[in-house]
Amino acid sequence: MKITLKDGSVKEYDSKKSVYEIAADLSEGLARAACAGEIDGEVVDLRTVIDKDCALNILTANDPKGLQALRHTCSHVMAEAVKRIFPDAKLAIGPSIDTGYYYDFDHEPFSREDLDKIEAEMKKIIKEGHELSRFTLPRDEAIKFMEDKGEPYKVELIRDLPEDAEISFYDQGGFTDLCAGPHLMSTKGIKAFKLTSSSMAYWRGDAEKARLQRIYGTAFNKKEELAAYLEQLEDAKRRDHNKLGREMELFTTVDVVGQGLPLFTPKGTKMIMKLQRWIEDLEDKEWGYVRTRTPLMAKSDLYKISGHWDHYKDGMFVLGDEEVDKEVFALRPMTCPFQYYVYKNTQKSYRDLPYRMSETSTLFRAEDSGEMHGLTRVRQFTITEGHNVIRPDQTIEELSNCFNLAYHVLSVLGLEKDVTFRLSKWDPENKKKYLGDEEYWETSQGILRKLLQEKEVPFVEADGEAAFYGPKIDIQAKNVYGKEDTMITIQLDCAIAENFDMYYVDQNGDKVRPYIIHRTSMGCYERTLAWLIEKYAGKFPTWLCPEQVRVLPISEKYEEYAEKVRKQLAKAGVDVTVDNRSEKIGFKIREARLSRLPYMLVVGQQEEADGTVSVRSRFAGDEGVKPLVEFIDQICEEIRTKAIRKEEVKEEAK
C-alpha cells in the first residue's frame, strides 16, 4: 500500500500498519511526539491500522488536532485521579475543548485544596507511565461492564448510542473509561498541565437533570507554553467584567431582585447613557432612521401573528394562563412585531421606502439560570434594535448600509479587530422550525453570502443558527475566557410581511409585499459594556468614562480655585469632580490612577496665580502645566472625536 505523507512524499508498505508504527518507521522522535493521526482528512487514533492507500499526517502537539488528543488523555488522567481520591464520585463526560479540557463528576463541590490533591495524584499517574489500550465490547456487554463499575451516566450514554455504533473503551493501568478517542500511547506523553477551576454543570446541559461538578484543566506540550497560558488566564481574571465591573462600581446584582437582572450604579448608568445618546443621534441624524417607542408587553395574539408564540414561547415571560384568562400577555422578547404596526399606521408608497425604524428597546428573555453570567447573559436587556422595511430591489444596498453602520460603530469603539463574522443559516434537516421552503432559504442565504464576500471579511457558515423567518449575519466576539457571543446581527426577512399584511403601493398602483431587515447597530448595551470593560481592562476611551477629570488641590487653600476649574470644565460638558479630602497630593494621584481616570489636574499656588493646571494623564503621565482654556479645548476635542489615545506609561505599582 502507498502512504502519501504531508510533504507529498510516498512510503510503500507490504503489509498493514498502525499509524504509530508508520510514525516510528519515519522517525523515533516523531513517534515519541505523535499524538494522533489524520487519514484522508479524518483524525484517528495512533492505534488505527491502515490497510490501503491513503494520505497520512502524523499529528503532534504542535497541531491543534494533536493537542486536542493530548488534552483528552489528560482529562482521563484527571478522572482516574478523582476516582482514586474520591472513589464514590461518578463519571460523566470529559472532552477536550479549545482552552484545554474538562470532566464532569457526580460529587460534592470541589475546593481549590481538592484540585491541588487531584493535581498531585495526576502527576503520580503520569510518572507511572501507563500505556493506554483500546478495546470494544458489544452493547449488552458494554452496559453490564459499566453497571458493574457503578457508573450510571456511562450506562445512559451507551444506551443512547445508535444501534450500529462501535462501543469503545480505553484502559490505562486498570482505569477504564468509555471513549471514542483518540488518545496518546502512554500517560508519560503529558508534559505540562494545570487544573484551573471548578464549577457546577447540568448533566447534558439540561437544568431539569442532575447537577454535576465540572473540573476545568489545560495541558500543553511544553512548560513554557503552559506558563504563558496561565499568565494569559490571570490577565483574563483581571479583565473579567463580572469582577472588574463590580470593583469599579459600574453594576451590581442582588439575590432578592433576581438572577440576570443587573442594577446599574450611577457610573455604569452614565456610560450606557453616553452610548445610547451617541447611537440614537448617529442613527437619526446621519443614517436616516426614525425613532419609535413601543410597549414592553403585548397580548399573545400579537406573537401568534408573528410566529413567535409557536417558535419562541419557551423563551418568553408569559403573564397569565391561556386556559383560564381571557387575555394572556407576554413581556416582549423582541420589538419587530410592534414596529410593523408603526409602519402600517399610514399607507406607504414605493417612494417612502426604505423606511428605517429604530428603537432603544428593553427586552425580556427567559434565559436558563445556568446560563446567567454578569452582563453577557441576562433576562432583561436593552438593545439598539431596528427594522428597515424595503423594496426587494433595495435589498443589496440596504444590507450593505446596515453592515457599514455596524462596522462604523465597532471602529469608533475600537472593537473592529476583535470580531468574527458568521453566516447563520437554516437547518435543512429540521424544516418545521422555519418559515419558507428550500428555495426561499437558499436564495436569501445567497444574498447574505454575497454581501460578506463583497465586504471582503472572512466568515464561517453555521447551520441551524438562523432566525425562524430568515438567515442572518452575526458579528461575533469572544470574552476573556474564549466564550463566543453574538454582538451585532443583520437579518434578512422576506416572509413575515405576509403575516402582518404589510405592503407598499408601487408605481403602478399595485400593493406589493416589502422585505424587512432586522438589525442592530451596536447590539445589547449590557453585553457591549461587558465587552468594553474586558477590552480596555476598565481604562475606557475618555469620551466613555463616567469620570473624565479629577481636580486635585494641593491643600485646602486651593479648594476655591479647584472648584472654579471644575465649573469651567463642567460648563464645557466634561464629567469632572474635585478631591477635597485632607490627604497628601501623592495619595490623591495614586488613587486617581487606580480608579483608571483619564486625567488628573493638580492645582496649587502657581496654577491659581497663572490660571493654569498641572496635567497628569493615564496616557502619558506628567503632561506638564497648561493654561486651563487650552486643556479644556484639548479634552473637548478628544471627547468630540471619540479619540482612543494609546497609553505610553505603565500603571504605577499598587
Side-chain angles (χ1 to χ4, degrees):
M1 60 182 178
K2 294 181 179 180
I3 306 298
T4 303
L5 303 175
K6 184 179 180 179
D7 62 1
S9 62
V10 177
K11 293 283 291 184
E12 294 190 22
Y13 297 97
D14 295 332
S15 59
K16 59 186 180 181
K17 289 187 178 295
S18 70
V19 174
Y20 181 78
E21 288 173 331
I22 294 174
D25 181 58
L26 295 172
S27 160
E28 289 186 10
L30 179 60
R32 285 195 299 271
C35 297
E38 190 173 27
I39 299 175
D40 294 333
E42 180 184 355
V43 177
V44 299
D45 193 271
L46 291 169
R47 301 155 191 80
T48 301
V49 174
I50 301 175
D51 58 6
K52 61 181 180 180
D53 295 355
C54 67
L56 173 65
N57 181 17
I58 307 297
L59 300 172
T60 69
N62 293 324
D63 305 291
K65 295 174 184 177
L67 185 58
Q68 281 186 347
L70 184 152
R71 289 171 169 173
H72 193 182
T73 303
C74 202
S75 79
H76 278 227
V77 171
M78 179 175 71
E80 180 179 0
V82 169
K83 291 291 284 187
R84 284 186 180 186
I85 300 170
F86 307 103
D88 293 335
K90 304 300 180 187
L91 303 174
I93 58 172
S96 63
I97 55 177
D98 288 345
T99 56
Y101 56 89
Y102 68 80
Y103 212 113
D104 290 344
F105 303 91
D106 191 338
H107 190 264
E108 295 298 315
F110 295 99
S111 65
R112 182 64 244 184
E113 290 74 19
D114 291 334
L115 299 191
D116 292 341
K117 291 177 184 177
I118 295 166
E119 274 189 9
E121 195 63 33
M122 289 173 69
K123 290 177 181 178
K124 290 181 184 178
I125 294 169
I126 292 168
K127 190 174 181 180
E128 289 166 7
H130 299 294
E131 291 188 5
L132 281 83
S133 58
R134 181 180 184 274
F135 64 93
T136 62
L137 290 175
R139 178 181 295 272
D140 290 345
E141 291 184 29
I143 291 173
K144 186 176 185 308
F145 183 74
M146 279 301 173
E147 284 178 337
D148 291 344
K149 287 185 172 291
E151 299 291 354
Y153 299 100
K154 299 296 183 181
V155 171
E156 182 179 329
L157 290 172
I158 295 170
R159 292 187 190 279
D160 288 347
L161 288 172
E163 287 294 328
D164 59 348
E166 182 181 66
I167 303 172
S168 60
F169 299 83
Y170 280 82
D171 178 86
Q172 54 193 47
F175 172 78
T176 305
D177 201 355
L178 171 73
C179 189
H183 283 287
L184 304 184
M185 298 298 290
S186 164
T187 59
K188 278 191 175 180
I190 300 170
K191 306 297 184 185
F193 75 94
K194 181 71 177 176
L195 301 187
T196 53
S197 63
S198 63
S199 66
M200 188 274 289
Y202 291 112
W203 171 233
R204 294 190 154 181
D206 187 341
E208 300 299 318
K209 295 185 177 179
R211 292 164 65 98
L212 305 175
Q213 300 303 318
R214 176 172 296 178
I215 299 178
Y216 286 97
T218 193
F220 290 88
N221 192 43
K222 297 178 181 178
K223 291 181 179 180
E224 295 81 6
E225 294 171 342
L226 175 62
Y229 172 78
L230 293 177
E231 175 55 35
Q232 179 185 337
L233 198 60
E234 286 303 309
D235 182 59
K237 291 177 181 177
R238 288 190 289 268
R239 290 174 178 268
D240 184 347
H241 84 275
N242 206 18
K243 175 177 179 289
L244 186 53
R246 295 170 196 271
E247 291 176 355
M248 295 183 69
E249 299 180 5
L250 300 178
F251 73 95
T252 187
T253 53
V254 181
D255 288 342
V256 295
V257 173
Q259 195 176 14
L261 299 171
L263 304 174
F264 288 94
T265 63
K267 291 180 181 179
T269 301
K270 181 165 282 189
M271 290 189 69
I272 287 181
M273 286 173 60
K274 290 183 179 188
L275 289 168
Q276 181 179 333
R277 288 168 179 165
W278 168 53
I279 290 293
E280 289 179 352
D281 284 347
L282 183 68
E283 290 179 337
D284 300 354
K285 296 177 181 179
E286 299 183 35
W287 291 81
Y289 283 81
V290 294
R291 195 143 297 277
T292 67
R293 184 178 175 87
T294 57
L296 299 180
M297 67 175 74
K299 295 192 296 184
S300 59
D301 305 48
L302 178 69
Y303 305 116
K304 289 174 181 177
I305 295 171
S306 68
H308 289 104
W309 201 254
D310 293 331
H311 293 276
Y312 205 81
K313 183 181 176 183
D314 290 343
M316 299 166 66
F317 288 105
V318 178
L319 311 176
D321 186 335
E322 287 186 283
E323 296 182 4
V324 177
D325 300 312
K326 185 177 179 180
E327 289 184 333
V328 174
F329 287 77
L331 298 178
R332 64 179 185 185
M334 67 292 295
T335 312
C336 42
F338 298 85
Q339 287 193 330
Y340 298 157
Y341 283 99
V342 173
Y343 173 84
K344 284 166 60 70
N345 186 52
T346 58
Q347 181 171 287
K348 304 293 191 299
S349 82
Y350 68 96
R351 294 188 182 92
D352 297 315
L353 272 55
Y355 189 74
R356 307 181 184 101
M357 297 172 286
S358 188
E359 182 168 333
T360 302
S361 306
T362 298
L363 305 178
F364 306 86
R365 296 186 183 174
E367 299 281 4
D368 183 87
S369 60
E371 295 294 319
M372 298 296 104
H373 177 69
L375 300 180
T376 58
R377 186 73 66 174
V378 291
R379 287 174 170 154
Q380 175 184 309
F381 57 94
T382 304
I383 194 169
T384 62
E385 190 168 19
H387 297 89
N388 300 9
V389 185
I390 62 174
R391 304 190 309 263
D393 64 282
Q394 296 171 324
T395 303
I396 298 297
E397 181 179 2
E398 198 63 16
L399 283 170
S400 180
N401 287 340
C402 290
F403 184 96
N404 292 343
L405 171 57
Y407 200 83
H408 170 73
V409 169
L410 290 171
S411 299
V412 171
L413 294 174
L415 303 171
E416 76 278 9
K417 295 180 181 178
D418 301 322
V419 299
T420 57
F421 299 88
R422 183 179 76 189
L423 173 56
S424 295
K425 305 186 297 183
W426 77 323
D427 179 2
E429 301 300 319
N430 189 13
K431 296 180 180 179
K432 292 181 180 179
K433 181 181 174 182
Y434 305 93
L435 300 179
D437 57 17
E438 188 170 345
E439 182 181 357
Y440 167 83
W441 283 93
E442 290 304 319
T443 300
S444 54
Q445 288 169 177
I447 291 171
L448 294 184
R449 184 183 294 109
K450 182 179 179 182
L451 173 66
L452 287 167
Q453 291 169 343
E454 289 178 349
K455 295 299 179 183
E456 297 183 343
V457 294
F459 65 94
V460 297
E461 300 191 12
D463 290 339
E465 295 293 336
F468 69 87
Y469 47 76
K472 53 182 179 165
I473 295 171
D474 286 324
I475 301 179
Q476 307 284 107
K478 291 182 179 180
N479 68 9
V480 288
Y481 298 109
K483 184 182 181 298
E484 188 173 79
D485 285 302
T486 299
M487 307 307 296
I488 298 174
T489 185
I490 302 168
Q491 307 172 9
L492 177 59
D493 174 2
C494 309
I496 287 287
E498 180 78 26
N499 295 27
F500 287 87
D501 191 27
M502 296 170 66
Y503 65 87
Y504 64 91
V505 179
D506 70 8
Q507 52 267 55
N508 299 318
D510 296 328
K511 293 182 177 179
V512 181
R513 298 293 183 208
Y515 290 173
I516 301 165
I517 298 174
H518 307 239
R519 48 98 273 174
T520 55
S521 53
M522 184 187 70
C524 166
Y525 285 94
E526 289 81 357
R527 188 172 287 179
T528 299
L529 181 56
W531 191 10
L532 289 166
I533 292 170
E534 296 187 351
K535 163 74 175 182
Y536 292 106
K539 298 178 181 179
F540 307 109
T542 300
W543 74 275
L544 264 178
C545 289
E547 184 183 0
Q548 295 162 330
V549 177
R550 187 177 295 176
V551 185
L552 311 177
I554 290 176
S555 72
E556 61 182 23
K557 291 189 296 183
Y558 308 106
E559 288 179 5
E560 186 177 341
Y561 180 60
E563 181 60 20
K564 179 181 177 181
V565 170
R566 186 198 68 78
K567 286 182 177 179
Q568 287 187 247
L569 281 161
K571 187 177 180 180
V574 178
D575 289 310
V576 54
T577 62
V578 177
D579 187 347
N580 281 329
R581 294 176 300 166
S582 55
E583 300 282 357
K584 292 183 178 180
I585 191 65
F587 178 84
K588 291 182 180 182
I589 291 172
R590 282 193 298 275
E591 276 219 338
R593 285 189 60 80
L594 292 176
S595 297
R596 300 170 174 83
L597 298 181
Y599 292 98
M600 297 146 272
L601 303 182
V602 179
V603 295
Q605 181 179 7
Q606 194 64 49
E607 286 80 12
E608 182 178 28
D610 298 339
T612 60
V613 289
S614 180
V615 182
R616 294 183 65 87
S617 76
R618 193 183 69 210
F619 315 103
D622 188 351
E623 295 192 14
V625 177
K626 297 181 181 181
L628 177 57
V629 174
E630 180 184 325
F631 175 76
I632 291 175
D633 288 343
Q634 170 195 316
I635 191 171
C636 286
E637 178 68 6
E638 185 178 334
I639 292 169
R640 184 190 67 80
T641 60
K642 298 177 175 57
I644 301 176
R645 287 189 67 182
K646 292 183 179 179
E647 299 204 15
E648 302 166 10
V649 295
K650 294 183 179 180
E651 186 176 348
E652 293 177 3
K654 297 185 180 180

